[in-house]
Amino acid sequence: MEELIRRAAKDISDAGKVVALTGAGISVESGIPPFRGKGGVWERIDPEYASIEKFMQDPEDVWDVLIREMKELIDKAIPNEGHKGLARLEAIGKLQTVITQNVDGLHQMAGNTDVIEFHGTFAWQYCMECRKRCETSRIDMSRIPPRCGCGGIYRPDVVFFGEMIPQQHLIRSRQIASECDVMLVVGTSAVVHPAAMMPVIAKHNGAKVIEINMEHTPLTREISDYLLMGRAGQVLNDIAAELEKNDK
Ligand code: OAD
């Protein structure tokens, strides 16, 4: 592993543009469970709860079963060594952009300044009738589903299954993926598209793809140059430390 950490640090150091694509795995050490795999949300809750069809049919049920729990978990989560590691890479000028599938805001809280929230943000809700926005922290949870002053139902500003990725995020992510020299792919099962296409675009445009995950993914064999198998917190802390050492 030490050898791979040094290799990753060297690849990042030699690169002009480095970007990261992150998924739920990077927030696991902050107490937010992943979606898939052991202990994942979809073990307990049917994934249809994350679909726009289900939300339109029965918003009360979706708020009750899924969104309420997300709010409780995200409210108390703070960045872990993984988020901080990526912020340290930016601080020493080695990381430009984070493309994240997560909606928890932890990359920004850790200090990364250019974060593309590919699947939206849980920090905000908007009214399905009048589109007025409200911070999630200010939502009155005593009534489920929470309602705006106009009577409309609030929904989180996230991308449900069955919805499009916001155009500007998709276009910019594709561009960044095609221009980077190194893409770090951290804590994503890489099965949800189009996010999972970003490492493929990077690879096809000549970038090195470095994966950090506890297990193999569909990218590991053909797209990733190598996999650092371990927890994102430890691995990113070690990479950041190695780069900071060389930076002095
Ligand atoms: P997943 O839950 O599908 O995958 C999490 C990945 O993180 C798995 O590959 C785990 O092996 C890995 N992992 C778990 N703990 C880790 C740790 N401590 N360090 C490193 N890796 C770890 O999450 P995503 O790939 O983000 O979409 O899922 C993609 C999308 O599917 C989500 O954005 C969400 C979901 O349904 C929408 O809601 C639209």
Side-chain angles (χ1 to χ4, degrees), residues 22-26 28-29 34-37 42 50 101-102 119 159-161 186-192 212-217 230-233:
T22 66
I26 198 170
V28 165
E29 292 159 76
F35 295 98
R36 297 170 186 77
W42 303 152
Q101 297 165 84
N102 303 341
H119 289 161
V159 176
F160 282 92
F161 283 132
V186 189
T188 176
S189 59
V191 294
V192 175
I212 300 170
N213 202 307
M214 314 256 291
E215 59 191 22
H216 287 233
T217 74
R231 291 181 195 281

